[in-house]
Amino acid sequence: MYLADYHTHSTCSDDGHNTMTEMAEAGSAAGLDEICLTDHLDVVDWQGNQVYAHSWSETAAQFAAARQALGARIKIQLGVELGQATEDFDRADRFLDDAPPLDFIIGSLHNLSWEHGRKDFCTLTEADEGFARQAIGKYLEEMQLLAQWGRFSVIGHLTLPLRYLNENLGMQMTFAGFEEQLRQLFQTIIPRGIGIELNTNRGNTPLPDREILKLYHDMGGELITLGSDAHTPNFVGCAIRERQQLLRELGFSYFVTYERLQPVYHKL
């Protein structure tokens, strides 16, 4: 069984706590064959502020140090989690054009729409079902715009709002009722060779969960990565084995890793 964690964060992310070397060491200790470091590359930050510049120097230095320190113990790939590219696709293009050679790009949305304040979903404090459903609808509309742009490998944690609505606010929201938007999204990405991530959510409810994974599979989707979303070493590799089993149960035959933005298939 090949094990890869394709969503991890180091101190090159504002919310990271450990170096790339420390995260890769944790991956090796967890029995992973491969890890991809996917630090945040945001066009809008978690408070809704515009980001106009990004420095790659620390990323390049830490990545080189991690590869040197770990040697052949674990394969280490360089990726990014590109957040809120929909805000300004030209700026997102510029950020990516300036990047060192990347193996993998996660396309993510973390923030509410402008009419809802544009801050990260994590800032929500009130459990309001009507508001939550409206916010999810807007989130999926923006995700469709991101998919049509398409300069990324996979959609990250497709059902991200549920992490904060359910885990933080104690709600029991799902994406039920949004199936048509999900179908339109998959109709956009599948022919373009864009995949989705099965985010293990650090051992909590996977993002997305079974029903949406099945829809993606039934519509012909094949490109799927697995990532823990670890921001600390203790979560690196978390629930990767269990989520591989979930994919097998749903009929998937392979998961993918990436090499210079090209998918590499691994038998489940």
Side-chain angles (χ1 to χ4, degrees):
M1 178 188 296
Y2 194 85
L3 299 173
D5 188 339
Y6 254 60
H7 192 149
T8 63
H9 295 277
S10 75
T11 49
C12 294
S13 294
D14 290 342
D15 55 359
H17 301 276
N18 297 81
T19 66
M20 287 187 179
T21 297
E22 290 168 332
M23 297 298 280
E25 286 174 340
S28 177
L32 298 182
D33 299 286
E34 185 171 343
I35 188 171
C36 191
L37 288 307
T38 54
D39 284 300
H40 290 294
L41 174 62
D42 291 323
V43 180
V44 177
D45 71 14
W46 73 283
Q47 287 285 359
N49 301 308
Q50 300 291 324
V51 179
Y52 292 104
H54 183 86
S55 173
W56 291 100
S57 58
E58 181 66 13
T59 296
Q62 284 208 30
F63 182 66
R67 279 195 159 177
Q68 182 175 9
L70 274 294
R73 287 164 51 194
I74 184 172
K75 185 175 183 177
I76 306 172
Q77 300 291 79
L78 182 61
V80 292
E81 182 178 8
L82 177 63
Q84 303 302 139
T86 48
E87 188 70 17
D88 188 332
F89 289 128
D90 288 340
R91 199 186 319 161
D93 279 326
R94 176 165 51 82
F95 286 175
L96 291 175
D97 289 342
D98 291 342
L102 296 173
D103 294 296
F104 179 60
I105 302 169
I106 301 172
S108 293
L109 299 177
H110 299 95
N111 295 34
L112 295 154
S113 65
W114 276 113
E115 66 185 279
H116 292 151
R118 205 47 168 173
K119 292 186 178 182
D120 194 296
F121 273 89
C122 74
T123 64
L124 292 175
T125 58
E126 295 184 17
D128 182 325
E129 184 171 343
F131 172 84
R133 290 191 64 80
Q134 185 180 18
I136 290 172
K138 291 291 185 181
Y139 168 86
L140 286 173
E141 288 177 11
E142 190 169 356
M143 189 64 76
Q144 179 66 28
L145 294 176
L146 183 68
Q148 290 168 352
W149 176 65
R151 192 176 174 184
F152 55 94
S153 311
V154 303
I155 291 174
H157 41 51
L158 175 55
T159 53
L160 176 77
L162 302 184
R163 173 184 288 169
Y164 303 110
L165 297 170
N166 297 346
E167 295 172 26
N168 289 8
L169 301 181
M171 302 181 73
Q172 296 182 353
M173 297 297 298
T174 71
F175 272 40
F178 296 97
E179 290 85 0
E180 185 55 35
Q181 283 180 277
L182 289 167
R183 288 189 188 94
Q184 291 175 3
L185 181 64
F186 293 155
Q187 287 169 352
T188 298
I189 65 171
I190 291 171
R192 302 186 67 176
I194 298 170
I196 66 170
E197 170 194 48
L198 170 47
N199 187 297
T200 72
N201 196 20
R202 299 186 284 268
N204 296 306
T205 302
L207 307 171
D209 205 348
R210 182 179 294 267
E211 292 79 8
I212 296 175
L213 292 170
K214 185 177 187 303
L215 176 63
Y216 176 69
H217 175 269
D218 290 349
M219 291 183 64
E222 295 180 337
L223 296 174
I224 190 160
T225 60
L226 296 103
S228 65
D229 216 343
H231 287 64
T232 51
N234 56 306
F235 286 116
V236 174
C238 182
I240 294 293
R241 293 171 177 83
E242 295 85 345
R243 299 312 171 220
Q244 284 197 11
Q245 177 59 33
L246 173 60
L247 291 178
R248 284 191 289 270
E249 292 171 3
L250 292 171
F252 288 90
S253 298
Y254 300 90
F255 75 96
V256 292
T257 58
Y258 281 79
E259 184 89 35
R260 291 294 189 267
L261 305 179
Q262 296 301 310
V264 179
Y265 290 80
H266 303 274
K267 184 74 174 175
L268 283 163

